[in-house]
Amino acid sequence: IDTESNNIVVHDKFNPFVPRIEISEPAKFDINVLEKMRKKIILQPDYQRNFIWPVNRQKELIKSLYRKFPLPLFYFAQKIDGNLEVIDGQQRLTTIFGFLNPKLVPKDIRRKLAIKIELRDHNNNKISLDELKRIVRNERSIHYVKINDNDLDPARKFEIFQALNTGASPLKPQEIRNCIFQGEAPYLNNALKKNA
């Protein structure tokens, strides 16, 4: 830990030429603030896989938020222009944005969203969808860390992405290839994906 900034500094002791990565201390984002910042969030950078979460998994995430269960950390790369690029948490963030307001996610994803979620309170009373959205939007938050994008060349960013996604929903072979070859030809890779 850097005692001056209180940030976590990661470096490779086996390769002194690899630049240090500064990772901020975990912080909290209220979901209503995150929703207002949506235009500054790059939800699906080129190396990210498509939105694949099934409806039942989306519902479980929203239920977890309602019940105040802690979610895993979200990881963002802080861009020079102030935008935040999602390194880890794209599936969760897409689910949250899509639940609160489907217009916050790309059109091709909207048909995959969990729109109707039924929940009951501790008295077994059904919670209306509007009330559930109000609670998630105004009373819940996520925890995140930011990594300065200046510290990351594309290979290091993909390395972090791969490390964070080990043990999660397994990446398909093509998704792994997308990640590996992203540094080589990002625009070609994206064009091929769109035209496949």
Side-chain angles (χ1 to χ4, degrees):
I1 295 180
D2 183 339
T3 52
E4 286 181 26
S5 67
N6 235 13
N7 289 342
I8 299 165
V9 179
V10 180
H11 62 278
D12 188 341
K13 67 181 179 181
F14 300 108
N15 185 352
F17 302 107
V18 174
R20 298 171 1 142
I21 299 175
E22 244 185 76
I23 303 173
S24 69
E25 280 289 315
K28 186 170 83 168
F29 255 139
D30 290 334
I31 288 180
N32 61 352
V33 172
L34 202 59
E35 189 179 16
K36 289 173 188 166
M37 291 178 56
R38 173 62 186 99
K39 289 184 178 175
K40 295 186 76 63
I41 296 172
I42 303 166
L43 193 57
Q44 200 165 29
D46 290 337
Y47 57 86
Q48 283 277 8
R49 59 180 161 179
N50 293 329
F51 182 69
I52 60 162
W53 268 21
V55 168
N56 63 329
R57 193 156 183 190
Q58 295 174 56
K59 288 180 177 179
E60 288 305 314
L61 179 79
I62 300 302
K63 288 177 184 178
S64 295
L65 277 170
Y66 171 75
R67 295 175 179 141
K68 293 188 177 180
F69 292 167
L71 301 182
L73 279 174
F74 290 73
Y75 287 78
F76 297 104
Q78 175 80 60
K79 309 290 277 181
I80 296 169
D81 59 10
N83 289 338
L84 295 174
E85 181 179 295
V86 179
I87 295 177
D88 187 59
Q90 182 255 132
Q91 304 288 324
R92 290 172 284 150
L93 211 47
T94 301
T95 296
I96 293 167
F97 285 148
F99 172 68
L100 295 175
N101 182 356
K103 291 181 181 176
L104 295 175
V105 298
K107 285 182 182 178
D108 60 323
I109 292 174
R110 292 177 197 165
R111 59 187 168 75
K112 301 176 185 178
L113 297 173
I115 304 297
K116 296 179 182 177
I117 298 174
E118 289 190 17
L119 268 177
R120 298 192 174 273
D121 65 16
H122 59 281
N123 294 322
N124 205 30
N125 296 319
K126 188 176 175 183
I127 301 166
S128 74
L129 198 56
D130 287 340
E131 178 63 6
L132 181 56
K133 286 183 181 186
R134 186 198 65 75
I135 290 167
V136 169
R137 177 180 283 120
N138 299 318
E139 299 179 20
R140 299 298 183 260
S141 56
I142 64 163
H143 287 84
Y144 70 96
V145 294
K146 284 192 292 190
I147 302 170
N148 189 337
D149 198 53
N150 292 338
D151 295 340
L152 298 174
D153 60 35
R156 297 287 279 173
K157 196 180 294 183
F158 308 137
E159 185 182 324
I160 293 169
F161 172 77
Q162 185 179 16
L164 291 171
N165 281 283
T166 302
S169 296
L171 293 169
K172 295 176 184 170
Q174 183 57 47
E175 292 169 336
I176 293 169
R177 286 191 290 275
N178 288 347
C179 183
I180 292 169
F181 294 112
Q182 187 60 44
E184 304 279 332
Y187 301 108
L188 174 61
N189 196 33
N190 202 23
L192 290 171
K193 188 164 52 170
K194 283 182 180 175
N195 293 311

